[in-house]
Amino acid sequence: MPVTRRQLFSLRATVGYIVFAGAWILLSDRILESFSDPRTIARYSTLKGLIFIALTAAILWVTLQNVPPEEDIRLADEEPHQAIGMRMLWGILPPVLGAAIQWAFWPHITPFAWLLLYPAVFTAAWLGGWLSGFMATALSALLCWYAFVPPQMVWTLDKPASVIGIGVFFAMGTLVSLVMAWLRRAEHRAGNSKFEALVEQTLAGIYIIQGDRFRYVNPEFAHMLGYDDPDQIINKVSVSAVVSPHDRARVAEHLQSRFNDPSKEARYGFTALCRDGSTIELEVHGRGLDTTTGRVIIGLALDVSERRRTELALQEKQALLDRMSLLAKVGGWRVDVDTKLGTRTDGAARILDLDPSLPESLLFKDGLRYFQGEHHALITQAIRRAIEQGQPYALELELISAKGVRKWIRTQGEPIWQDGRVVRIEGALQDISEVQQARAALQAHQERLEQTVRERTAELEVARQEAEHLARIKSEFLANMSHEIRTPLNGVLGLAQIGYRDHKGPAREVFEQIIASGRLLLGVINDILDFSKIEAGKLHIEYQPLDLHQLLWRSSKLVQDKASERGLNLVVDMDPDLPTSCLGDALRLEQILLNLLSNAVKFTTNGTVRLTACARQDRLVLSVTDTGIGMTPTQLEGLFRPFEQADGSTTRQYGGTGLGLSITKRLVEMLNGVIHVHSTPGQGTRFEVVLPLILGEQAAAPASAASEAWMASAPAPLDGVETLRAPRLAGVRVLAAEDNLVNQMVLTELLGYEGAQVTMSESGSAAIAQLARNGTQAYDLVLMDIQMPGMDGYEATRHIKAMAPHLPVIGQTAHAMAEEHAKCREAGMVDLVIKPIELEILVQTIRRHVPASTTSVH
């Protein structure tokens, strides 16, 4: 079992007292033996007892004043030692006492000269160390040599055995001293091993500082600073060397305060310098301690670098949250349901105009006192529902702050459940006064805007009605203009066709010029009407299946005669991969091609006009190329502007309104396509139209009714009326309703020339009367003029369809608007021809709706 320092001191004190008491008794008895008078002996005995008591009390007082702690505090590199004076005392006192006792009892132990001197040497070595043992050995040898080895009281020896005895005693005493010293060091090392085994296993750094030196560090402390072994630091690295420069003064102040007052425990942090120059954050705990070599500071060091980084990040995050809370005017709060005590954050305190630095501003008992009236009732009910039903809430309320300022806030509360009941409510508070003000301003602004919108809407409604009225007037004007121009033009062209048919020589040439001029006038009218419809937004695109190849051939055929008259080659080049059918508006696509082809023929005096069609990816590419006069870049800039041509001389030389290409470009754009033009003066021009290629079901072979209606407005070739042939409408009984006498004459003449039997009526009501009088079986077809006084063609057609549902009615009108065709269909008409009426188109239309058995087919 290990012996503590206090136990060792007690043992030494006990042995010392026994030696003192034994020596006192023996010596005092020897002195008393020299007295023979009993009274003297009695007096000296009493005196001896009193002196013994006094000496014993003094020894006891000195012993109690010098009781050491349980263990000597030594550093790891210290050897146990005593003060030199104490060691000399232990080296002298045991041999002197041993010699005195031996002298007192010498007659009884004469044969044993060294009897008590061996224990004296052992005691001296045990109590004082090897130096005390060596001194006790030497002193005991001298005392024994002089006092107890014969001859006594002289320094001479009469026998060799005495010399040997003294030598053996000296050697044994020295050996005992050395063995005791080794045992002391072994005990110290054992204690140090236990200490090192304890501190070297800890994950914290342990250090001992004395002055500016490290007297001890454990491996963990060395590893913190980047050293491989503690020996690289102990007594080699100064304390200031491992402290960053900006922390050295503060660390030195802490160390000095611990040296001055060891009872104070230090706890502080600083930035430490590692061996490789990097830094870590250390937190140290230490206190002063008195050791056998002086005062030291022993402590514990923790690497808190990660914690500091985390704390710094948390501080930055908290600062950011505080800043955001301040900017967003947001705060938090919490209320305990049982105690009714609540806490609020700094942000919530600021919203209520409280000082966040005051503790009472962050604690509250009645947080509802800031609300009044209906707002107090609302928040009270919301909190009650939250407590009783666990229902969260979110409200916008007005409160009066601690400074009497009215504020609007948004508050939210969330019940917190525990053990099946709501134990507290946590929530947030946001100052929305500015938002509320903005809302009020926005509401007022919105009301003003709504009022302005209402006023503007009323104005726009008036403007819309005015615009619709103007558009209606414009449409009516265009329709009337078309009717008023086409009606006399129908008579002129009709009579001219009859004159051209019935005359030869110069007269025929005159009629031919009349027909050409009339058709030119008709083209101008058609362009103006189309452009007006586009501008008015009344021209619509209808996607239907169409036969692309047939459309291309039909378009080229319409300009073939004109190209032949000018000695031009008209070539149609279709790519083998071009689809036969697609979806599109056949009427507008054919109108685009006719405009481009007509322009190419008109501006080309010799060479070739080529129509090319191909499919390029998902696009339909149509191009018209000519070898005509070409255009300069300046002329190309205004090419698609309405009412413009290359220049005035071109207009005079080639004619035209300047609307054809403008209409073409508008139509291409309405079909979601683009048109490009490339031209070189004197070499020719190439127009390229790129349209979406939409593949669909197979198109029907005949052109659409809309396409036919537009084609009806296009001029037919003159040789159609020149060629002698058999009547194509022989036997067809036609009931015609026409109010214009000239048109009656033209219609009767043209249809009669084709073999038809025509019954003419001057109005719709007259046609109905004749039909009723002669019977519905008396006629194969009805030609109905649309615009007539009294009953118009629409109403007359409805009556006729009611009388004879299967009797076909074909409308004839001078109105060229597209919507006219739809109105005719709605009235019950099967088809429509546009004035001025072309004989070829009229014959084809009649034949299409009259049974084949009725006509003579040739």
Side-chain angles (χ1 to χ4, degrees), residues 619-642:
R619 297 286 176 175
L620 173 63
V621 181
L622 305 172
S623 63
V624 175
T625 308
D626 63 58
T627 57
I629 61 175
M631 289 175 285
T632 64
T634 303
Q635 293 171 334
L636 289 175
E637 291 179 1
L639 185 63
F640 294 107
R641 285 198 288 265

mmCIF file of all heavy atoms in Angstrom, residues 619-642:
data_model
loop_
_atom_site.group_PDB
_atom_site.id
_atom_site.type_symbol
_atom_site.label_atom_id
_atom_site.label_comp_id
_atom_site.label_asym_id
_atom_site.label_seq_id
_atom_site.Cartn_x
_atom_site.Cartn_y
_atom_site.Cartn_z
ATOM 1 N N ARG A 619 -42.038 23.337 -95.127
ATOM 2 C CA ARG A 619 -42.455 24.575 -95.772
ATOM 3 C C ARG A 619 -42.788 24.323 -97.243
ATOM 4 O O ARG A 619 -42.149 23.497 -97.911
ATOM 5 C CB ARG A 619 -41.342 25.636 -95.687
ATOM 6 C CG ARG A 619 -41.009 26.052 -94.267
ATOM 7 C CD ARG A 619 -42.070 26.936 -93.696
ATOM 8 N NE ARG A 619 -41.835 27.279 -92.301
ATOM 9 C CZ ARG A 619 -42.574 28.118 -91.607
ATOM 10 N NH1 ARG A 619 -43.598 28.703 -92.183
ATOM 11 N NH2 ARG A 619 -42.325 28.356 -90.337
ATOM 12 N N LEU A 620 -43.782 25.061 -97.722
ATOM 13 C CA LEU A 620 -44.128 25.065 -99.138
ATOM 14 C C LEU A 620 -43.501 26.310 -99.761
ATOM 15 O O LEU A 620 -43.781 27.433 -99.342
ATOM 16 C CB LEU A 620 -45.649 25.084 -99.315
ATOM 17 C CG LEU A 620 -46.154 25.262 -100.748
ATOM 18 C CD1 LEU A 620 -45.722 24.094 -101.619
ATOM 19 C CD2 LEU A 620 -47.682 25.426 -100.768
ATOM 20 N N VAL A 621 -42.638 26.098 -100.745
ATOM 21 C CA VAL A 621 -41.919 27.204 -101.374
ATOM 22 C C VAL A 621 -42.431 27.365 -102.805
ATOM 23 O O VAL A 621 -42.304 26.449 -103.629
ATOM 24 C CB VAL A 621 -40.398 26.950 -101.368
ATOM 25 C CG1 VAL A 621 -39.666 28.137 -102.009
ATOM 26 C CG2 VAL A 621 -39.902 26.718 -99.943
ATOM 27 N N LEU A 622 -43.007 28.531 -103.077
ATOM 28 C CA LEU A 622 -43.504 28.865 -104.414
ATOM 29 C C LEU A 622 -42.713 30.055 -104.928
ATOM 30 O O LEU A 622 -42.587 31.066 -104.236
ATOM 31 C CB LEU A 622 -44.998 29.215 -104.362
ATOM 32 C CG LEU A 622 -45.932 28.166 -103.734
ATOM 33 C CD1 LEU A 622 -47.334 28.744 -103.583
ATOM 34 C CD2 LEU A 622 -45.964 26.906 -104.591
ATOM 35 N N SER A 623 -42.201 29.928 -106.133
ATOM 36 C CA SER A 623 -41.436 31.043 -106.694
ATOM 37 C C SER A 623 -41.882 31.309 -108.128
ATOM 38 O O SER A 623 -42.202 30.387 -108.880
ATOM 39 C CB SER A 623 -39.928 30.732 -106.654
ATOM 40 O OG SER A 623 -39.630 29.615 -107.453
ATOM 41 N N VAL A 624 -41.905 32.603 -108.467
ATOM 42 C CA VAL A 624 -42.250 33.049 -109.831
ATOM 43 C C VAL A 624 -41.065 33.859 -110.335
ATOM 44 O O VAL A 624 -40.718 34.891 -109.767
ATOM 45 C CB VAL A 624 -43.537 33.892 -109.824
ATOM 46 C CG1 VAL A 624 -43.794 34.447 -111.233
ATOM 47 C CG2 VAL A 624 -44.719 33.070 -109.339
ATOM 48 N N THR A 625 -40.470 33.384 -111.403
ATOM 49 C CA THR A 625 -39.267 34.008 -111.954
ATOM 50 C C THR A 625 -39.539 34.461 -113.377
ATOM 51 O O THR A 625 -40.141 33.723 -114.163
ATOM 52 C CB THR A 625 -38.085 33.018 -111.930
ATOM 53 O OG1 THR A 625 -37.950 32.492 -110.610
ATOM 54 C CG2 THR A 625 -36.787 33.701 -112.347
ATOM 55 N N ASP A 626 -39.079 35.694 -113.671
ATOM 56 C CA ASP A 626 -39.265 36.191 -115.032
ATOM 57 C C ASP A 626 -37.945 36.751 -115.537
ATOM 58 O O ASP A 626 -36.989 36.920 -114.791
ATOM 59 C CB ASP A 626 -40.366 37.256 -115.089
ATOM 60 C CG ASP A 626 -40.037 38.490 -114.275
ATOM 61 O OD1 ASP A 626 -38.986 39.126 -114.544
ATOM 62 O OD2 ASP A 626 -40.820 38.838 -113.345
ATOM 63 N N THR A 627 -37.919 37.028 -116.839
ATOM 64 C CA THR A 627 -36.739 37.628 -117.481
ATOM 65 C C THR A 627 -37.068 39.032 -117.944
ATOM 66 O O THR A 627 -36.657 39.464 -119.012
ATOM 67 C CB THR A 627 -36.294 36.754 -118.671
ATOM 68 O OG1 THR A 627 -37.402 36.630 -119.576
ATOM 69 C CG2 THR A 627 -35.855 35.382 -118.217
ATOM 70 N N GLY A 628 -37.854 39.743 -117.101
ATOM 71 C CA GLY A 628 -38.360 41.051 -117.490
ATOM 72 C C GLY A 628 -37.402 42.176 -117.190
ATOM 73 O O GLY A 628 -36.170 42.003 -117.131
ATOM 74 N N ILE A 629 -37.995 43.352 -116.915
ATOM 75 C CA ILE A 629 -37.203 44.574 -116.826
ATOM 76 C C ILE A 629 -36.404 44.664 -115.530
ATOM 77 O O ILE A 629 -35.427 45.408 -115.445
ATOM 78 C CB ILE A 629 -38.114 45.808 -116.970
ATOM 79 C CG1 ILE A 629 -39.156 45.823 -115.841
ATOM 80 C CG2 ILE A 629 -38.802 45.807 -118.330
ATOM 81 C CD1 ILE A 629 -40.003 47.065 -115.841
ATOM 82 N N GLY A 630 -36.802 43.920 -114.481
ATOM 83 C CA GLY A 630 -36.078 43.965 -113.217
ATOM 84 C C GLY A 630 -36.304 45.275 -112.475
ATOM 85 O O GLY A 630 -36.984 46.191 -112.953
ATOM 86 N N MET A 631 -35.697 45.362 -111.266
ATOM 87 C CA MET A 631 -35.862 46.558 -110.427
ATOM 88 C C MET A 631 -34.559 46.871 -109.716
ATOM 89 O O MET A 631 -33.747 45.979 -109.441
ATOM 90 C CB MET A 631 -36.975 46.321 -109.376
ATOM 91 C CG MET A 631 -38.371 46.265 -109.958
ATOM 92 S SD MET A 631 -39.608 45.846 -108.681
ATOM 93 C CE MET A 631 -39.294 44.094 -108.492
ATOM 94 N N THR A 632 -34.391 48.154 -109.411
ATOM 95 C CA THR A 632 -33.226 48.602 -108.656
ATOM 96 C C THR A 632 -33.497 48.428 -107.149
ATOM 97 O O THR A 632 -34.654 48.290 -106.723
ATOM 98 C CB THR A 632 -32.934 50.075 -108.949
ATOM 99 O OG1 THR A 632 -34.040 50.861 -108.478
ATOM 100 C CG2 THR A 632 -32.754 50.314 -110.441
ATOM 101 N N PRO A 633 -32.443 48.455 -106.280
ATOM 102 C CA PRO A 633 -32.666 48.371 -104.824
ATOM 103 C C PRO A 633 -33.587 49.465 -104.303
ATOM 104 O O PRO A 633 -34.380 49.230 -103.388
ATOM 105 C CB PRO A 633 -31.246 48.499 -104.259
ATOM 106 C CG PRO A 633 -30.358 47.972 -105.343
ATOM 107 C CD PRO A 633 -31.020 48.385 -106.626
ATOM 108 N N THR A 634 -33.501 50.641 -104.882
ATOM 109 C CA THR A 634 -34.379 51.727 -104.434
ATOM 110 C C THR A 634 -35.831 51.410 -104.745
ATOM 111 O O THR A 634 -36.741 51.676 -103.944
ATOM 112 C CB THR A 634 -33.968 53.047 -105.102
ATOM 113 O OG1 THR A 634 -32.587 53.316 -104.803
ATOM 114 C CG2 THR A 634 -34.829 54.191 -104.609
ATOM 115 N N GLN A 635 -36.059 50.850 -105.930
ATOM 116 C CA GLN A 635 -37.420 50.493 -106.303
ATOM 117 C C GLN A 635 -37.962 49.361 -105.429
ATOM 118 O O GLN A 635 -39.146 49.314 -105.108
ATOM 119 C CB GLN A 635 -37.464 50.089 -107.783
ATOM 120 C CG GLN A 635 -37.185 51.249 -108.732
ATOM 121 C CD GLN A 635 -37.016 50.789 -110.166
ATOM 122 O OE1 GLN A 635 -36.637 49.637 -110.416
ATOM 123 N NE2 GLN A 635 -37.281 51.688 -111.114
ATOM 124 N N LEU A 636 -37.063 48.438 -105.004
ATOM 125 C CA LEU A 636 -37.493 47.316 -104.173
ATOM 126 C C LEU A 636 -37.967 47.777 -102.800
ATOM 127 O O LEU A 636 -38.810 47.127 -102.177
ATOM 128 C CB LEU A 636 -36.353 46.305 -104.011
ATOM 129 C CG LEU A 636 -35.984 45.495 -105.248
ATOM 130 C CD1 LEU A 636 -34.766 44.626 -104.972
ATOM 131 C CD2 LEU A 636 -37.163 44.626 -105.677
ATOM 132 N N GLU A 637 -37.424 48.904 -102.308
ATOM 133 C CA GLU A 637 -37.778 49.370 -100.968
ATOM 134 C C GLU A 637 -39.254 49.687 -100.844
ATOM 135 O O GLU A 637 -39.884 49.449 -99.813
ATOM 136 C CB GLU A 637 -36.948 50.592 -100.600
ATOM 137 C CG GLU A 637 -35.472 50.279 -100.385
ATOM 138 C CD GLU A 637 -34.683 51.534 -100.051
ATOM 139 O OE1 GLU A 637 -35.318 52.620 -99.984
ATOM 140 O OE2 GLU A 637 -33.461 51.431 -99.860
ATOM 141 N N GLY A 638 -39.868 50.264 -101.866
ATOM 142 C CA GLY A 638 -41.286 50.633 -101.789
ATOM 143 C C GLY A 638 -42.178 49.702 -102.563
ATOM 144 O O GLY A 638 -43.316 50.081 -102.881
ATOM 145 N N LEU A 639 -41.670 48.486 -102.864
ATOM 146 C CA LEU A 639 -42.395 47.597 -103.753
ATOM 147 C C LEU A 639 -43.743 47.166 -103.190
ATOM 148 O O LEU A 639 -44.736 47.084 -103.922
ATOM 149 C CB LEU A 639 -41.538 46.358 -104.052
ATOM 150 C CG LEU A 639 -42.115 45.373 -105.066
ATOM 151 C CD1 LEU A 639 -42.262 46.046 -106.420
ATOM 152 C CD2 LEU A 639 -41.217 44.141 -105.172
ATOM 153 N N PHE A 640 -43.798 46.905 -101.865
ATOM 154 C CA PHE A 640 -45.012 46.347 -101.263
ATOM 155 C C PHE A 640 -45.887 47.406 -100.605
ATOM 156 O O PHE A 640 -46.855 47.071 -99.939
ATOM 157 C CB PHE A 640 -44.648 45.281 -100.226
ATOM 158 C CG PHE A 640 -43.996 44.068 -100.835
ATOM 159 C CD1 PHE A 640 -42.645 43.838 -100.678
ATOM 160 C CD2 PHE A 640 -44.750 43.174 -101.580
ATOM 161 C CE1 PHE A 640 -42.054 42.715 -101.216
ATOM 162 C CE2 PHE A 640 -44.157 42.056 -102.136
ATOM 163 C CZ PHE A 640 -42.798 41.812 -101.977
ATOM 164 N N ARG A 641 -45.529 48.694 -100.810
ATOM 165 C CA ARG A 641 -46.383 49.739 -100.269
ATOM 166 C C ARG A 641 -47.572 49.945 -101.205
ATOM 167 O O ARG A 641 -47.412 49.937 -102.428
ATOM 168 C CB ARG A 641 -45.602 51.040 -100.101
ATOM 169 C CG ARG A 641 -44.651 51.014 -98.920
ATOM 170 C CD ARG A 641 -44.244 52.423 -98.532
ATOM 171 N NE ARG A 641 -43.337 53.002 -99.511
ATOM 172 C CZ ARG A 641 -42.009 52.974 -99.389
ATOM 173 N NH1 ARG A 641 -41.457 52.378 -98.348
ATOM 174 N NH2 ARG A 641 -41.257 53.545 -100.303
ATOM 175 N N PRO A 642 -48.764 50.134 -100.638
ATOM 176 C CA PRO A 642 -49.956 50.252 -101.500
ATOM 177 C C PRO A 642 -49.913 51.509 -102.354
ATOM 178 O O PRO A 642 -49.340 52.526 -101.968
ATOM 179 C CB PRO A 642 -51.114 50.299 -100.493
ATOM 180 C CG PRO A 642 -50.495 50.752 -99.197
ATOM 181 C CD PRO A 642 -49.089 50.209 -99.200
#
